[in-house]
Amino acid sequence: MTHSRKMGLAVAQMGPLHLADSRGAAVARLMEMMREAKSRNADLVVFPELALTTFFPRYWMSEEAACDAYFERAMPNAETQPLFDLARELQIGFYLGYAELTPEGRRFNTAILVDKGARIVQKYRKIHLPGHSDHKVDAPFQHLEKKFFEVGDLGFTVADAMGATIGMCICNDRRWPESWRSLSLQGAELGLVGYNTPSWNIHWKEPVHLRMHTHLIALQASAYQNAMWIGAAAKCGAEDGFHMIGGSVIVAPSGEIAAQSSTEEDEVIFANIDLALGDTFREHVFNFAKHRRPEHYTLITERTGAGPAVKGPE
Ligand code: ING
């Protein structure tokens, strides 16, 4: 075991943000949790995906209407500057998810990593966009991420900040092993992810407990298979009646859950993580350089959907 490399990691879970809630109200709640995270001696606090507004892709509207109501044209901006100022005052870094409208008019589901000096050190734009772009008029709600967002164009990247090599992804990305492996192949030892996960499946009668089950196994498996700590922050509870799961967690490189939320409200969870724990897994069982065989993995990047069987040697 290498010498310990401790870091205070907080995950700030948000309860519902309703249509009627202003960005100012959202930021005030984020600031309150940032203060609590600091009081727990956190170096970094993870906020959810789309943390400034309700999960608006559940509603059918034009892209223009969505942009006017839910997208940020700059970051920081007037509403979020107080959060950046507080981060600098408290000397704490943070991950923040929000809807990004670029000066060129492009729309992304975005997350940023901000360091203790309130400098944006990394930006990530969501690559795996779930849902649909058509209006499902008979569905109880929509999931229009494919309508409102472009596929992220920044790839999966890592940054060295707060004493760790940190990778980011967003929500549905956490269900795809390619996301986390792309980060761990760059040395990420801590992965951050915000999410908004409806508890109700509009496609088939999925038992509701499975939403939590698949959420947790995706994160626990990914942390273990990539020898990384993962901090995952939910926005959850019933937003204007539309329920989303909680289950914010801090997962260790062993795959064990080090901390988990127990409410569907604003709740800060914390763990004093030892980044050195991942070193052991990277040195032995997941020593990529020693054990991986990419020459046998080509299907993973050659194919998008499943295709015909690859015949073995006759
Ligand atoms: N939400 C959900 C998520 O991946 C989803 C969508 C839920 C897809 C369950 C598949 C299964 O957690 C977002 N925002 O991606």
Side-chain angles (χ1 to χ4, degrees), residues 49 55 126 130 143 145 171-172 174-175 196-198 211:
E49 170 191 31
F55 186 69
K126 187 172 182 179
H143 197 117
E145 294 194 60
C171 203
N172 195 253
R174 76 188 185 286
R175 301 178 189 277
N196 288 215
T197 300
R211 281 288 151 108

Side-chain angles (χ1 to χ4, degrees), residues 49-50 55 57 109 126 128-131 143 145 149 170-176 194-201 203-204 206 210-211 214-215 244-245:
E49 170 191 31
L50 298 175
F55 186 69
N109 187 340
K126 187 172 182 179
H128 296 95
L129 297 172
H143 197 117
E145 294 194 60
F149 303 121
I170 299 175
C171 203
N172 195 253
D173 290 320
R174 76 188 185 286
R175 301 178 189 277
W176 301 92
Y195 62 95
N196 288 215
T197 300
S199 55
W200 190 1
N201 184 334
H203 302 292
W204 79 89
E206 180 186 20
L210 287 183
R211 281 288 151 108
T214 55
H215 155 70
M244 299 192 292
I245 67 168

Side-chain angles (χ1 to χ4, degrees), residues 121-291:
V121 292
Q122 190 80 348
K123 177 183 278 191
Y124 171 73
R125 290 167 171 165
K126 187 172 182 179
I127 287 170
H128 296 95
L129 297 172
H132 51 95
S133 53
D134 59 307
H135 189 185
K136 295 187 180 308
V137 289
D138 299 328
F141 54 89
Q142 311 296 304
H143 197 117
L144 293 163
E145 294 194 60
K146 290 186 191 300
K147 175 181 174 68
F148 293 133
F149 303 121
E150 281 184 52
V151 172
D153 61 349
L154 301 176
F156 292 105
T157 56
V158 303
D160 288 317
M162 277 76 73
T165 301
I166 299 173
M168 299 192 285
C169 66
I170 299 175
C171 203
N172 195 253
D173 290 320
R174 76 188 185 286
R175 301 178 189 277
W176 301 92
E178 296 87 344
S179 306
W180 300 107
R181 186 51 51 92
S182 299
L183 296 174
S184 58
L185 282 169
Q186 298 176 71
E189 52 191 348
L190 172 59
L192 310 179
V193 57
Y195 62 95
N196 288 215
T197 300
S199 55
W200 190 1
N201 184 334
I202 63 174
H203 302 292
W204 79 89
K205 258 180 74 56
E206 180 186 20
V208 71
H209 75 278
L210 287 183
R211 281 288 151 108
M212 186 59 72
H213 170 70
T214 55
H215 155 70
L216 292 177
I217 60 171
L219 290 175
Q220 290 182 262
S222 300
Y224 170 62
Q225 291 167 344
N226 294 284
M228 68 166 72
W229 286 90
I230 293 179
K235 174 146 63 68
C236 58
E239 295 192 326
D240 295 297
F242 297 97
H243 185 263
M244 299 192 292
I245 67 168
S248 301
V249 280
I250 296 171
V251 186
S254 60
E256 291 178 303
I257 293 174
Q260 183 165 343
S261 65
S262 44
T263 72
E264 293 181 345
E265 301 298 335
D266 290 11
E267 179 180 348
V268 176
I269 60 174
F270 175 83
N272 191 20
I273 70 172
D274 186 353
L275 293 164
L277 193 59
D279 297 343
T280 317
F281 290 92
R282 273 185 292 277
E283 181 57 35
H284 299 287
V285 59
F286 291 114
N287 186 319
F288 289 167
K290 268 191 190 162
H291 302 311

